[in-house]
Amino acid sequence: ETGVTQSPTHLIKTRGQQVTLRCSSQSGHNTVSWYQQALGQGPQFIFQYYREEENGRGNFPPRFSGLQFPNYSSELNVNALELDDSALYLCASSTDQLIETQYFGPGTRLLVL
Amino acid sequence: GENVEQHPSTLSVQEGDSAVIKCTYSDSASNYFPWYKQELGKRPQLIIDIRSNVGEKKDQRIAVTLNKTAKHFSLHITETQPEDSAVYFCAASIIGGATNKLIFGTGTLLAVQP
């Protein structure tokens, strides 16, 4: 198992609500990427944080936002939840943005009703 | 845009047989190709990866091959075992670019029949 942890493990929200998901990266890792994995599909890149700055963003609307803290842990915030936001949200950490290996956390399963 | 195609979507083999999963990427700048195994309800786990300056890499029963000209890469699992049953994802990335995001394929559900 990797040292990447995520919380909560499961979450149920209703349309229009807001949610915050959390990720603690593996010790020594300063880069965190977030991915959305819909049922039966591969993970889709949301954005990446490197040393507390956003360092690249996928094709997701602005209501998906994030933060990275000085200890390199990270948050993913989603506003105005839609039914299609129901998915497994994965964070992955790596030693550096130039280092290829990304280690995934266990994910947060979000259900929007 | 960037895209990774993966085939087949499902693969059923007998225990002891070999399994091959193929991927094609669109961005010729891609230089890093990892493979992840994801068991039901679990996180994706890196099983093997290859960089573009290498044509083949092997780790026990698992091997990956890369054809840069054709923009193809493949995962080969020999002597399959029931515990190999899982969803396998290929991915492509550009290391040294603006961001080393992973572009994933759609996954292959491998079922190893005892």
Side-chain angles (χ1 to χ4, degrees), chain A residues 30-97:
Chain A
N30 60 21
T31 303
V32 175
S33 302
W34 285 91
Y35 295 83
Q36 180 196 66
Q37 186 177 22
L39 200 60
Q41 297 184 23
Q44 299 289 315
F45 177 74
I46 303 175
F47 43 56
Q48 182 180 86
Y49 278 84
Y50 170 64
R51 295 187 175 181
E52 303 179 57
E53 297 288 330
E54 187 179 290
N55 181 50
R57 188 178 183 91
N59 190 26
F60 281 81
R63 60 189 185 85
F64 286 78
S65 63
L67 281 174
Q68 188 178 31
F69 300 99
N71 66 354
Y72 302 134
S73 66
S74 178
E75 285 183 355
L76 164 65
N77 299 288
V78 187
N79 293 323
L81 284 167
E82 301 177 359
L83 297 180
D84 285 349
D85 296 333
S86 296
L88 180 67
Y89 288 86
L90 295 159
C91 74
S93 74
S94 54
T95 309
D96 188 272
Q97 62 171 153

Side-chain angles (χ1 to χ4, degrees), chain B residues 42-103:
Chain B
K42 301 286 185 67
R43 73 185 78 195
Q45 289 194 305
L46 179 71
I47 56 171
I48 195 167
D49 55 12
I50 191 168
R51 296 205 71 172
S52 58
N53 58 349
V54 176
E56 183 174 357
K57 184 176 178 180
K58 191 173 181 180
D59 182 3
Q60 299 182 357
R61 296 186 297 109
I62 295 173
V64 57
T65 58
L66 171 65
N67 182 331
K68 284 190 297 182
T69 302
K71 293 191 280 188
H72 290 169
F73 58 114
S74 300
L75 177 71
H76 304 252
I77 305 174
T78 58
E79 300 171 24
T80 54
Q81 301 167 4
E83 51 265 39
D84 294 330
S85 297
V87 179
Y88 290 80
F89 291 99
C90 62
S93 180
I94 302 172
I95 303 302
T99 176
N100 62 339
K101 62 182 177 182
L102 294 171
I103 305 299

